[in-house]
Amino acid sequence: MAHIEAFRALRYDPTRVSLAQVITQPYDKITVEMQEGYYRASPHNLVRIILGKREAADHPGENIYTRAAAFFGDWRRQGIFLQDASPSLYLSVQRFSLPGSAVNLERRGFIGLGRIEDYSAGVVYRHEQTLAKPKADRLELLRATRAHFGQLFMLYSDPAREIEGVLAPSGPPDMEIRDEYGVVHQVWKIADPGVIELVRGKMRDKKLIIADGHHRYETALTYRNERHAMAASSPSGGVPRERSAEDSLVRSASPSLAPYDLVMMTFINMDAPGLVILPTHRLVHSLASLSSEALQQGARDYFRVQELDSSLDAVRAQEILGDAGRSGTALLAVTADRVFLLDKPKATDSNIFAGLSQRQQALDVAQLHRGLLEKVLGISEEAIHNQQNVRYFRDAGEAMVQVQSGKANVAFLMNPVRMEQVRDIAFSGEVLPQKSTDFYPKLLSGFTIYALE
């Protein structure tokens, strides 16, 4: 089912640049401050291509996309990017500890090309909705550069971990950096044709779930369809063209596939112990009036409510939340002067879950959004979607400080969604609510580049 290919990646020449100064976080995780730092780090930092600065004088002939294409072309001609000599897969290993923890973890995956599939084909599954604006931005960049710079984070199931065994690291990595969050990223080039074919064979029966990169996947799908339409309207009538020497530089492709039929992916085993999903806490702000008493009374319509010691810190709060969550849904509501544990949801109003399956209703985040945010606090689904009254925090302590300092009305602390919930909902063709998953750590951009031309 999953069609995987090796490719000849473009990679930074380590004799020309320091990898640590040119590799970036994914484009959608780059803040304005991070963008500035990347610009200062190196004139060849990838941020100039994937998230360039807009200028007041920008126009259709000169803008962030045309500048990205110019940088990419110049750096290829100058030898900043070099192309690997043989088609390869790329073993990726990330060594990290969780935020606020000293426990060391390791997550392994491999980078390769995956065939772009319509969702209806039953090969690639999403777990969240996408927004039009980010897709339009990524599509313009892809049209301008005709290359993929970031990794699509794809999950597959391999309980026996056979593929990881085949791709065991040997010798020092070809690339290694420590990122701004202390995560060590190592990459090995795997060019052995026998190993590559073994991995491709073991992946053929796999279904894939997009963990991160929904917008970029759907952008690649749109671009593929555009190119197919162009080919169909050409004088040849859409007959697949012969593979050129240029194509062979890019990948070891099947003759029937064009370069735009594939996209660069990092494949990670959802059954491996190093796969981590962090919670995303909700911070409600800018409500005209919300008392702790009103919140407590309203919440009692949907949960059992227990008041806790208001002096507890973030560490203790998350311990309590984790313990309570072992038996089902549990949330912590933190106001400026009180803390409430909300658990054991009450199914007194089935209408609030209209349109949601039983799998979706079991999610803590669905209970929070449909019950507390929409019914008790009066925040509409549209307002939540547009982040008008809700902000999202990875760090529970930071969310609590925002409330206790009077900058927000209430923080709702969450347990992370479980991988099996993501899997079951995705494979059933459903989606999770916005900002439900935070796969950690992120996959950096710039280790490998897939140029379509």
Side-chain angles (χ1 to χ4, degrees):
M1 297 175 70
H3 181 101
I4 308 302
E5 293 197 8
F7 69 117
R8 294 180 59 195
L10 286 173
R11 296 194 284 135
Y12 276 105
D13 180 355
T15 68
R16 301 286 301 276
V17 300
S18 167
L19 278 180
Q21 294 177 347
V22 295
I23 302 293
T24 76
Q25 294 291 326
Y27 84 98
D28 55 341
K29 300 300 178 184
I30 298 175
T31 64
V32 173
E33 294 75 19
M34 292 169 69
Q35 183 191 45
E36 290 291 343
Y38 289 146
Y39 262 81
R40 291 192 300 268
S42 169
H44 298 113
N45 189 284
L46 194 70
V47 76
R48 285 175 163 79
I49 295 176
I50 64 171
L51 194 66
K53 293 181 179 180
R54 296 181 183 274
E55 305 290 346
D58 280 355
H59 56 84
E62 172 68 23
N63 52 54
I64 57 172
Y65 309 114
T66 60
R67 288 191 291 274
F71 283 129
F72 184 45
D74 289 345
W75 297 354
R76 292 180 76 174
R77 286 187 291 271
Q78 295 164 11
I80 301 300
F81 295 131
L82 298 178
Q83 195 154 38
D84 283 334
S86 55
S88 303
L89 299 176
Y90 300 84
L91 171 65
S92 170
V93 176
Q94 294 167 292
R95 295 188 170 91
F96 62 100
S97 58
L98 297 181
S101 169
V103 177
N104 294 320
L105 299 172
E106 178 181 286
R107 187 177 72 190
R108 293 188 184 184
F110 70 93
I111 302 168
L113 301 184
R115 184 170 59 198
I116 301 167
E117 305 276 3
D118 294 307
Y119 292 136
S120 60
V123 178
V124 174
Y125 295 79
R126 59 180 180 169
H127 79 267
E128 66 179 32
Q129 298 280 10
T130 55
L131 303 175
K133 186 175 180 180
K135 287 192 289 187
D137 166 60
R138 292 299 97 181
L139 183 57
E140 288 301 319
L141 181 65
L142 179 54
R143 287 168 174 162
T145 61
R146 301 196 175 190
H148 296 283
F149 303 94
Q151 296 297 330
L152 297 179
F153 187 157
M154 309 297 284
L155 299 168
Y156 67 93
S157 179
D158 182 14
R161 302 178 66 182
E162 293 180 348
I163 293 171
E164 292 174 74
V166 171
L167 290 173
S170 176
D174 295 283
M175 295 175 280
E176 179 174 0
I177 72 164
R178 182 184 295 271
D179 71 18
E180 51 264 74
Y181 301 107
V183 180
V184 175
H185 303 257
Q186 298 173 311
V187 179
W188 285 260
K189 183 168 72 75
I190 309 294
D192 184 325
V195 172
I196 291 170
E197 285 307 306
L198 187 57
V199 171
R200 293 185 68 213
K202 289 182 178 296
M203 288 294 294
R204 283 195 183 100
D205 67 343
K206 306 299 184 188
K207 296 187 290 186
L208 305 173
I209 297 174
I210 305 170
D212 276 332
H214 289 76
H215 291 94
R216 283 175 288 131
Y217 183 81
E218 294 185 11
T219 294
L221 181 60
T222 298
Y223 184 75
R224 181 207 68 177
N225 292 344
E226 286 183 354
R227 295 294 297 270
H228 282 179
M230 291 169 60
S233 63
S234 69
S236 64
V239 177
R241 60 180 173 81
E242 294 182 3
R243 290 180 62 223
S244 65
E246 188 177 65
D247 285 343
S248 66
L249 289 175
V250 176
R251 60 189 177 90
S252 61
S254 300
S256 61
L257 294 177
Y260 48 78
D261 287 315
L262 298 118
V263 66
M264 186 167 61
M265 302 175 172
T266 296
F267 304 90
I268 292 176
N269 182 10
M270 72 177 75
D271 302 306
L275 186 68
V276 173
I277 305 175
L278 297 179
T280 302
H281 310 297
R282 270 65 174 160
L283 192 74
V284 175
H285 62 92
S286 304
L287 296 183
S289 62
L290 174 64
S291 68
S292 298
E293 291 76 13
L295 174 65
Q296 181 185 32
Q297 291 302 318
R300 282 178 173 152
D301 290 337
Y302 299 96
F303 297 93
R304 181 179 72 172
V305 179
Q306 302 177 70
E307 186 160 4
L308 306 179
D309 182 354
S310 62
S311 66
L312 61 78
D313 61 15
V315 173
R316 181 59 184 147
Q318 291 177 101
E319 289 174 349
I320 293 171
L321 187 58
D323 289 341
R326 291 190 177 93
S327 58
T329 292
L331 310 166
L332 276 187
V334 181
T335 68
D337 58 349
R338 300 174 75 178
V339 177
F340 304 104
L341 172 64
L342 315 178
D343 64 355
K344 300 190 181 304
K346 299 177 182 179
T348 55
D349 184 1
S350 59
N351 291 329
I352 68 171
F353 294 116
L356 297 185
S357 69
Q358 290 295 324
R359 285 179 292 265
Q360 293 168 309
Q361 293 178 34
L363 295 169
D364 294 7
V365 65
Q367 296 279 344
L368 170 63
H369 281 217
R370 291 294 184 94
L372 293 177
L373 298 189
E374 294 185 28
K375 298 299 183 181
V376 176
L377 302 185
I379 303 173
S380 69
E381 183 178 0
E382 181 181 4
I384 295 170
H385 186 73
N386 294 330
Q387 300 184 25
Q388 292 176 4
N389 293 101
V390 180
R391 286 186 285 152
Y392 302 91
F393 283 79
R394 174 185 287 173
D395 186 278
E398 186 178 357
M400 293 174 71
V401 167
Q402 292 284 317
V403 173
Q404 292 162 350
S405 63
K407 296 178 180 178
N409 302 98
V410 57
F412 291 104
L413 305 188
M414 314 281 296
N415 283 314
V417 65
R418 300 188 304 276
M419 183 62 236
E420 57 266 29
Q421 291 177 305
V422 177
R423 177 198 64 206
D424 293 346
I425 288 173
F427 283 161
S428 67
E430 301 165 355
V431 294
L432 283 77
Q434 185 180 15
K435 298 287 186 181
S436 294
T437 58
D438 181 6
F439 288 89
Y440 185 84
K442 300 306 177 186
L443 299 172
L444 301 188
S445 297
F447 282 121
T448 60
I449 296 167
Y450 173 44
L452 305 183
E453 298 178 354

mmCIF file of all heavy atoms in Angstrom, residues 30-70:
data_model
loop_
_atom_site.group_PDB
_atom_site.id
_atom_site.type_symbol
_atom_site.label_atom_id
_atom_site.label_comp_id
_atom_site.label_asym_id
_atom_site.label_seq_id
_atom_site.Cartn_x
_atom_site.Cartn_y
_atom_site.Cartn_z
ATOM 1 N N ILE A 30 8.335 28.481 13.763
ATOM 2 C CA ILE A 30 9.337 29.545 13.817
ATOM 3 C C ILE A 30 8.649 30.854 14.197
ATOM 4 O O ILE A 30 7.825 31.385 13.442
ATOM 5 C CB ILE A 30 10.054 29.687 12.458
ATOM 6 C CG1 ILE A 30 10.792 28.398 12.107
ATOM 7 C CG2 ILE A 30 11.034 30.861 12.490
ATOM 8 C CD1 ILE A 30 11.425 28.402 10.722
ATOM 9 N N THR A 31 8.979 31.373 15.382
ATOM 10 C CA THR A 31 8.451 32.656 15.818
ATOM 11 C C THR A 31 9.218 33.789 15.130
ATOM 12 O O THR A 31 10.247 33.566 14.490
ATOM 13 C CB THR A 31 8.580 32.807 17.332
ATOM 14 O OG1 THR A 31 9.980 32.817 17.673
ATOM 15 C CG2 THR A 31 7.904 31.652 18.063
ATOM 16 N N VAL A 32 8.721 35.004 15.293
ATOM 17 C CA VAL A 32 9.420 36.164 14.727
ATOM 18 C C VAL A 32 10.822 36.270 15.320
ATOM 19 O O VAL A 32 11.798 36.549 14.609
ATOM 20 C CB VAL A 32 8.613 37.452 14.994
ATOM 21 C CG1 VAL A 32 9.414 38.682 14.572
ATOM 22 C CG2 VAL A 32 7.275 37.406 14.264
ATOM 23 N N GLU A 33 10.941 36.021 16.624
ATOM 24 C CA GLU A 33 12.249 36.087 17.280
ATOM 25 C C GLU A 33 13.180 35.004 16.746
ATOM 26 O O GLU A 33 14.377 35.263 16.514
ATOM 27 C CB GLU A 33 12.090 35.938 18.791
ATOM 28 C CG GLU A 33 11.359 37.073 19.485
ATOM 29 C CD GLU A 33 9.840 37.045 19.264
ATOM 30 O OE1 GLU A 33 9.304 35.979 18.887
ATOM 31 O OE2 GLU A 33 9.201 38.095 19.469
ATOM 32 N N MET A 34 12.656 33.801 16.525
ATOM 33 C CA MET A 34 13.467 32.728 15.971
ATOM 34 C C MET A 34 13.888 33.049 14.538
ATOM 35 O O MET A 34 15.026 32.790 14.136
ATOM 36 C CB MET A 34 12.697 31.402 16.014
ATOM 37 C CG MET A 34 12.466 30.868 17.423
ATOM 38 S SD MET A 34 11.289 29.484 17.455
ATOM 39 C CE MET A 34 12.244 28.210 16.648
ATOM 40 N N GLN A 35 12.978 33.622 13.771
ATOM 41 C CA GLN A 35 13.306 34.001 12.398
ATOM 42 C C GLN A 35 14.477 34.979 12.375
ATOM 43 O O GLN A 35 15.415 34.832 11.583
ATOM 44 C CB GLN A 35 12.084 34.615 11.717
ATOM 45 C CG GLN A 35 12.294 34.978 10.254
ATOM 46 C CD GLN A 35 11.149 35.822 9.707
ATOM 47 O OE1 GLN A 35 10.699 36.771 10.366
ATOM 48 N NE2 GLN A 35 10.654 35.461 8.524
ATOM 49 N N GLU A 36 14.434 35.973 13.251
ATOM 50 C CA GLU A 36 15.523 36.941 13.329
ATOM 51 C C GLU A 36 16.834 36.255 13.694
ATOM 52 O O GLU A 36 17.896 36.561 13.127
ATOM 53 C CB GLU A 36 15.193 38.025 14.356
ATOM 54 C CG GLU A 36 14.075 38.964 13.944
ATOM 55 C CD GLU A 36 14.464 39.869 12.783
ATOM 56 O OE1 GLU A 36 15.667 40.009 12.500
ATOM 57 O OE2 GLU A 36 13.549 40.437 12.154
ATOM 58 N N GLY A 37 16.769 35.328 14.645
ATOM 59 C CA GLY A 37 17.973 34.601 15.047
ATOM 60 C C GLY A 37 18.546 33.766 13.926
ATOM 61 O O GLY A 37 19.774 33.712 13.734
ATOM 62 N N TYR A 38 17.674 33.126 13.162
ATOM 63 C CA TYR A 38 18.139 32.324 12.030
ATOM 64 C C TYR A 38 18.785 33.210 10.972
ATOM 65 O O TYR A 38 19.797 32.848 10.359
ATOM 66 C CB TYR A 38 16.979 31.538 11.419
ATOM 67 C CG TYR A 38 16.463 30.388 12.253
ATOM 68 C CD1 TYR A 38 15.110 30.037 12.254
ATOM 69 C CD2 TYR A 38 17.332 29.624 13.031
ATOM 70 C CE1 TYR A 38 14.632 28.970 12.994
ATOM 71 C CE2 TYR A 38 16.850 28.557 13.781
ATOM 72 C CZ TYR A 38 15.496 28.239 13.758
ATOM 73 O OH TYR A 38 15.033 27.176 14.498
ATOM 74 N N TYR A 39 18.207 34.366 10.721
ATOM 75 C CA TYR A 39 18.796 35.297 9.747
ATOM 76 C C TYR A 39 20.206 35.712 10.175
ATOM 77 O O TYR A 39 21.119 35.815 9.350
ATOM 78 C CB TYR A 39 17.910 36.532 9.582
ATOM 79 C CG TYR A 39 16.998 36.470 8.384
ATOM 80 C CD1 TYR A 39 15.803 35.758 8.438
ATOM 81 C CD2 TYR A 39 17.324 37.108 7.199
ATOM 82 C CE1 TYR A 39 14.951 35.697 7.346
ATOM 83 C CE2 TYR A 39 16.484 37.055 6.098
ATOM 84 C CZ TYR A 39 15.296 36.346 6.167
ATOM 85 O OH TYR A 39 14.469 36.272 5.077
ATOM 86 N N ARG A 40 20.372 35.950 11.475
ATOM 87 C CA ARG A 40 21.688 36.365 11.965
ATOM 88 C C ARG A 40 22.693 35.221 11.953
ATOM 89 O O ARG A 40 23.903 35.441 11.817
ATOM 90 C CB ARG A 40 21.572 36.912 13.394
ATOM 91 C CG ARG A 40 20.836 38.242 13.507
ATOM 92 C CD ARG A 40 21.019 38.843 14.887
ATOM 93 N NE ARG A 40 20.492 37.964 15.947
ATOM 94 C CZ ARG A 40 19.258 38.036 16.412
ATOM 95 N NH1 ARG A 40 18.395 38.923 15.921
ATOM 96 N NH2 ARG A 40 18.861 37.225 17.375
ATOM 97 N N ALA A 41 22.202 33.978 12.091
ATOM 98 C CA ALA A 41 23.097 32.833 12.244
ATOM 99 C C ALA A 41 23.952 32.591 11.008
ATOM 100 O O ALA A 41 25.141 32.262 11.115
ATOM 101 C CB ALA A 41 22.289 31.578 12.575
ATOM 102 N N SER A 42 23.376 32.744 9.812
ATOM 103 C CA SER A 42 24.117 32.450 8.592
ATOM 104 C C SER A 42 23.394 33.044 7.387
ATOM 105 O O SER A 42 22.158 33.004 7.328
ATOM 106 C CB SER A 42 24.262 30.935 8.396
ATOM 107 O OG SER A 42 24.755 30.630 7.099
ATOM 108 N N PRO A 43 24.139 33.548 6.415
ATOM 109 C CA PRO A 43 23.493 34.015 5.178
ATOM 110 C C PRO A 43 22.891 32.876 4.373
ATOM 111 O O PRO A 43 22.151 33.122 3.408
ATOM 112 C CB PRO A 43 24.637 34.689 4.408
ATOM 113 C CG PRO A 43 25.879 34.058 4.944
ATOM 114 C CD PRO A 43 25.596 33.776 6.387
ATOM 115 N N HIS A 44 23.211 31.630 4.744
ATOM 116 C CA HIS A 44 22.674 30.470 4.039
ATOM 117 C C HIS A 44 21.682 29.674 4.900
ATOM 118 O O HIS A 44 21.376 28.520 4.594
ATOM 119 C CB HIS A 44 23.821 29.552 3.598
ATOM 120 C CG HIS A 44 24.768 30.219 2.650
ATOM 121 N ND1 HIS A 44 26.069 30.511 2.968
ATOM 122 C CD2 HIS A 44 24.579 30.688 1.379
ATOM 123 C CE1 HIS A 44 26.653 31.118 1.955
ATOM 124 N NE2 HIS A 44 25.778 31.232 0.976
ATOM 125 N N ASN A 45 21.183 30.310 5.973
ATOM 126 C CA ASN A 45 20.191 29.620 6.796
ATOM 127 C C ASN A 45 18.937 29.347 5.977
ATOM 128 O O ASN A 45 18.479 30.204 5.207
ATOM 129 C CB ASN A 45 19.842 30.466 8.018
ATOM 130 C CG ASN A 45 18.974 29.704 9.018
ATOM 131 O OD1 ASN A 45 17.781 29.528 8.805
ATOM 132 N ND2 ASN A 45 19.589 29.262 10.098
ATOM 133 N N LEU A 46 18.362 28.172 6.163
ATOM 134 C CA LEU A 46 17.223 27.737 5.358
ATOM 135 C C LEU A 46 15.994 28.628 5.542
ATOM 136 O O LEU A 46 15.095 28.631 4.694
ATOM 137 C CB LEU A 46 16.870 26.285 5.688
ATOM 138 C CG LEU A 46 15.923 25.581 4.709
ATOM 139 C CD1 LEU A 46 16.615 25.332 3.381
ATOM 140 C CD2 LEU A 46 15.396 24.278 5.297
ATOM 141 N N VAL A 47 15.949 29.390 6.627
ATOM 142 C CA VAL A 47 14.786 30.242 6.869
ATOM 143 C C VAL A 47 14.570 31.209 5.715
ATOM 144 O O VAL A 47 13.425 31.589 5.420
ATOM 145 C CB VAL A 47 14.938 30.998 8.206
ATOM 146 C CG1 VAL A 47 15.922 32.167 8.078
ATOM 147 C CG2 VAL A 47 13.586 31.505 8.699
ATOM 148 N N ARG A 48 15.620 31.607 5.022
ATOM 149 C CA ARG A 48 15.476 32.529 3.902
ATOM 150 C C ARG A 48 14.649 31.929 2.769
ATOM 151 O O ARG A 48 14.087 32.653 1.955
ATOM 152 C CB ARG A 48 16.856 32.948 3.385
ATOM 153 C CG ARG A 48 17.563 33.939 4.296
ATOM 154 C CD ARG A 48 18.978 34.234 3.795
ATOM 155 N NE ARG A 48 19.510 35.444 4.411
ATOM 156 C CZ ARG A 48 20.018 35.499 5.629
ATOM 157 N NH1 ARG A 48 20.076 34.393 6.365
ATOM 158 N NH2 ARG A 48 20.486 36.630 6.126
ATOM 159 N N ILE A 49 14.587 30.593 2.741
ATOM 160 C CA ILE A 49 13.792 29.915 1.714
ATOM 161 C C ILE A 49 12.413 29.551 2.241
ATOM 162 O O ILE A 49 11.402 29.821 1.598
ATOM 163 C CB ILE A 49 14.526 28.652 1.215
ATOM 164 C CG1 ILE A 49 15.825 29.049 0.492
ATOM 165 C CG2 ILE A 49 13.626 27.835 0.302
ATOM 166 C CD1 ILE A 49 16.665 27.857 0.051
ATOM 167 N N ILE A 50 12.347 28.956 3.415
ATOM 168 C CA ILE A 50 11.062 28.407 3.880
ATOM 169 C C ILE A 50 10.189 29.428 4.594
ATOM 170 O O ILE A 50 8.979 29.248 4.682
ATOM 171 C CB ILE A 50 11.269 27.178 4.787
ATOM 172 C CG1 ILE A 50 12.000 27.558 6.080
ATOM 173 C CG2 ILE A 50 11.997 26.070 4.042
ATOM 174 C CD1 ILE A 50 12.035 26.422 7.103
ATOM 175 N N LEU A 51 10.779 30.516 5.104
ATOM 176 C CA LEU A 51 9.996 31.530 5.803
ATOM 177 C C LEU A 51 10.730 32.861 5.739
ATOM 178 O O LEU A 51 11.194 33.393 6.742
ATOM 179 C CB LEU A 51 9.739 31.126 7.258
ATOM 180 C CG LEU A 51 8.671 31.931 8.005
ATOM 181 C CD1 LEU A 51 7.290 31.697 7.390
ATOM 182 C CD2 LEU A 51 8.650 31.568 9.482
ATOM 183 N N GLY A 52 10.837 33.397 4.527
ATOM 184 C CA GLY A 52 11.552 34.643 4.338
ATOM 185 C C GLY A 52 10.807 35.843 4.871
ATOM 186 O O GLY A 52 9.612 35.781 5.189
ATOM 187 N N LYS A 53 11.506 36.954 4.965
ATOM 188 C CA LYS A 53 10.905 38.191 5.457
ATOM 189 C C LYS A 53 10.150 38.898 4.330
ATOM 190 O O LYS A 53 10.642 39.002 3.212
ATOM 191 C CB LYS A 53 11.993 39.127 5.987
ATOM 192 C CG LYS A 53 12.692 38.621 7.241
ATOM 193 C CD LYS A 53 13.733 39.634 7.706
ATOM 194 C CE LYS A 53 14.433 39.166 8.967
ATOM 195 N NZ LYS A 53 15.463 40.146 9.423
ATOM 196 N N ARG A 54 8.983 39.376 4.668
ATOM 197 C CA ARG A 54 8.205 40.171 3.714
ATOM 198 C C ARG A 54 8.717 41.608 3.716
ATOM 199 O O ARG A 54 9.129 42.125 4.752
ATOM 200 C CB ARG A 54 6.724 40.132 4.064
ATOM 201 C CG ARG A 54 6.121 38.731 3.961
ATOM 202 C CD ARG A 54 4.641 38.724 4.278
ATOM 203 N NE ARG A 54 4.094 37.377 4.255
ATOM 204 C CZ ARG A 54 3.643 36.759 3.177
ATOM 205 N NH1 ARG A 54 3.675 37.392 2.005
ATOM 206 N NH2 ARG A 54 3.162 35.531 3.238
ATOM 207 N N GLU A 55 8.669 42.233 2.564
ATOM 208 C CA GLU A 55 9.125 43.607 2.419
ATOM 209 C C GLU A 55 7.952 44.489 1.998
ATOM 210 O O GLU A 55 7.030 44.039 1.304
ATOM 211 C CB GLU A 55 10.240 43.696 1.365
ATOM 212 C CG GLU A 55 11.431 42.785 1.611
ATOM 213 C CD GLU A 55 12.270 43.208 2.807
ATOM 214 O OE1 GLU A 55 12.067 44.356 3.262
ATOM 215 O OE2 GLU A 55 13.089 42.398 3.281
ATOM 216 N N ALA A 56 7.991 45.750 2.419
ATOM 217 C CA ALA A 56 6.901 46.678 2.104
ATOM 218 C C ALA A 56 6.717 46.855 0.598
ATOM 219 O O ALA A 56 5.605 47.078 0.114
ATOM 220 C CB ALA A 56 7.159 48.029 2.764
ATOM 221 N N ALA A 57 7.815 46.736 -0.143
ATOM 222 C CA ALA A 57 7.750 46.964 -1.593
ATOM 223 C C ALA A 57 7.470 45.691 -2.391
ATOM 224 O O ALA A 57 7.566 45.704 -3.622
ATOM 225 C CB ALA A 57 9.062 47.588 -2.071
ATOM 226 N N ASP A 58 7.131 44.603 -1.729
ATOM 227 C CA ASP A 58 6.869 43.347 -2.441
ATOM 228 C C ASP A 58 5.758 43.512 -3.470
ATOM 229 O O ASP A 58 4.775 44.237 -3.246
ATOM 230 C CB ASP A 58 6.479 42.250 -1.451
ATOM 231 C CG ASP A 58 7.684 41.631 -0.754
ATOM 232 O OD1 ASP A 58 8.821 41.983 -1.102
ATOM 233 O OD2 ASP A 58 7.484 40.793 0.156
ATOM 234 N N HIS A 59 5.927 42.826 -4.596
ATOM 235 C CA HIS A 59 4.915 42.814 -5.653
ATOM 236 C C HIS A 59 5.013 41.463 -6.352
ATOM 237 O O HIS A 59 5.882 40.643 -6.022
ATOM 238 C CB HIS A 59 5.125 43.980 -6.625
ATOM 239 C CG HIS A 59 6.498 44.013 -7.239
ATOM 240 N ND1 HIS A 59 6.844 43.276 -8.348
ATOM 241 C CD2 HIS A 59 7.622 44.697 -6.883
ATOM 242 C CE1 HIS A 59 8.111 43.491 -8.668
ATOM 243 N NE2 HIS A 59 8.612 44.349 -7.795
ATOM 244 N N PRO A 60 4.129 41.160 -7.299
ATOM 245 C CA PRO A 60 4.132 39.822 -7.922
ATOM 246 C C PRO A 60 5.475 39.393 -8.487
ATOM 247 O O PRO A 60 5.791 38.196 -8.508
ATOM 248 C CB PRO A 60 3.069 39.938 -9.012
ATOM 249 C CG PRO A 60 2.109 40.940 -8.460
ATOM 250 C CD PRO A 60 2.951 41.945 -7.733
ATOM 251 N N GLY A 61 6.286 40.323 -8.941
ATOM 252 C CA GLY A 61 7.571 39.949 -9.517
ATOM 253 C C GLY A 61 8.710 39.896 -8.521
ATOM 254 O O GLY A 61 9.815 39.454 -8.858
ATOM 255 N N GLU A 62 8.477 40.345 -7.303
ATOM 256 C CA GLU A 62 9.515 40.363 -6.273
ATOM 257 C C GLU A 62 8.841 40.203 -4.913
ATOM 258 O O GLU A 62 8.178 41.119 -4.413
ATOM 259 C CB GLU A 62 10.297 41.687 -6.305
ATOM 260 C CG GLU A 62 11.284 41.891 -5.162
ATOM 261 C CD GLU A 62 12.466 40.932 -5.221
ATOM 262 O OE1 GLU A 62 12.752 40.426 -6.331
ATOM 263 O OE2 GLU A 62 13.112 40.688 -4.182
ATOM 264 N N ASN A 63 8.983 39.027 -4.314
ATOM 265 C CA ASN A 63 8.325 38.752 -3.045
ATOM 266 C C ASN A 63 9.041 37.602 -2.344
ATOM 267 O O ASN A 63 10.091 37.140 -2.805
ATOM 268 C CB ASN A 63 6.841 38.432 -3.276
ATOM 269 C CG ASN A 63 6.646 37.335 -4.316
ATOM 270 O OD1 ASN A 63 7.213 36.253 -4.204
ATOM 271 N ND2 ASN A 63 5.845 37.632 -5.347
ATOM 272 N N ILE A 64 8.471 37.138 -1.257
ATOM 273 C CA ILE A 64 9.152 36.094 -0.481
ATOM 274 C C ILE A 64 9.332 34.816 -1.290
ATOM 275 O O ILE A 64 10.305 34.082 -1.089
ATOM 276 C CB ILE A 64 8.408 35.783 0.836
ATOM 277 C CG1 ILE A 64 6.958 35.352 0.577
ATOM 278 C CG2 ILE A 64 8.471 36.968 1.782
ATOM 279 C CD1 ILE A 64 6.248 34.846 1.819
ATOM 280 N N TYR A 65 8.443 34.547 -2.226
ATOM 281 C CA TYR A 65 8.528 33.313 -3.008
ATOM 282 C C TYR A 65 9.577 33.433 -4.116
ATOM 283 O O TYR A 65 10.348 32.485 -4.346
ATOM 284 C CB TYR A 65 7.152 32.962 -3.582
ATOM 285 C CG TYR A 65 6.069 32.964 -2.526
ATOM 286 C CD1 TYR A 65 5.036 33.904 -2.554
ATOM 287 C CD2 TYR A 65 6.088 32.048 -1.477
ATOM 288 C CE1 TYR A 65 4.052 33.917 -1.584
ATOM 289 C CE2 TYR A 65 5.100 32.054 -0.495
ATOM 290 C CZ TYR A 65 4.085 33.001 -0.557
ATOM 291 O OH TYR A 65 3.121 33.009 0.425
ATOM 292 N N THR A 66 9.612 34.563 -4.783
ATOM 293 C CA THR A 66 10.639 34.733 -5.821
ATOM 294 C C THR A 66 12.024 34.794 -5.187
ATOM 295 O O THR A 66 12.991 34.285 -5.755
ATOM 296 C CB THR A 66 10.383 36.005 -6.644
ATOM 297 O OG1 THR A 66 10.412 37.155 -5.796
ATOM 298 C CG2 THR A 66 9.034 35.934 -7.348
ATOM 299 N N ARG A 67 12.121 35.427 -4.009
ATOM 300 C CA ARG A 67 13.420 35.457 -3.328
ATOM 301 C C ARG A 67 13.827 34.060 -2.877
ATOM 302 O O ARG A 67 15.008 33.687 -2.956
ATOM 303 C CB ARG A 67 13.376 36.422 -2.137
ATOM 304 C CG ARG A 67 13.349 37.893 -2.540
ATOM 305 C CD ARG A 67 13.568 38.799 -1.351
ATOM 306 N NE ARG A 67 12.454 38.801 -0.411
ATOM 307 C CZ ARG A 67 11.388 39.585 -0.511
ATOM 308 N NH1 ARG A 67 11.285 40.436 -1.523
ATOM 309 N NH2 ARG A 67 10.422 39.541 0.401
ATOM 310 N N ALA A 68 12.869 33.272 -2.405
ATOM 311 C CA ALA A 68 13.177 31.892 -2.001
ATOM 312 C C ALA A 68 13.728 31.099 -3.183
ATOM 313 O O ALA A 68 14.725 30.374 -3.057
ATOM 314 C CB ALA A 68 11.926 31.216 -1.438
ATOM 315 N N ALA A 69 13.077 31.216 -4.332
ATOM 316 C CA ALA A 69 13.542 30.509 -5.526
ATOM 317 C C ALA A 69 14.934 30.972 -5.935
ATOM 318 O O ALA A 69 15.779 30.165 -6.345
ATOM 319 C CB ALA A 69 12.550 30.706 -6.668
ATOM 320 N N ALA A 70 15.192 32.280 -5.812
ATOM 321 C CA ALA A 70 16.507 32.810 -6.175
ATOM 322 C C ALA A 70 17.586 32.287 -5.237
ATOM 323 O O ALA A 70 18.670 31.878 -5.678
ATOM 324 C CB ALA A 70 16.481 34.335 -6.156
#
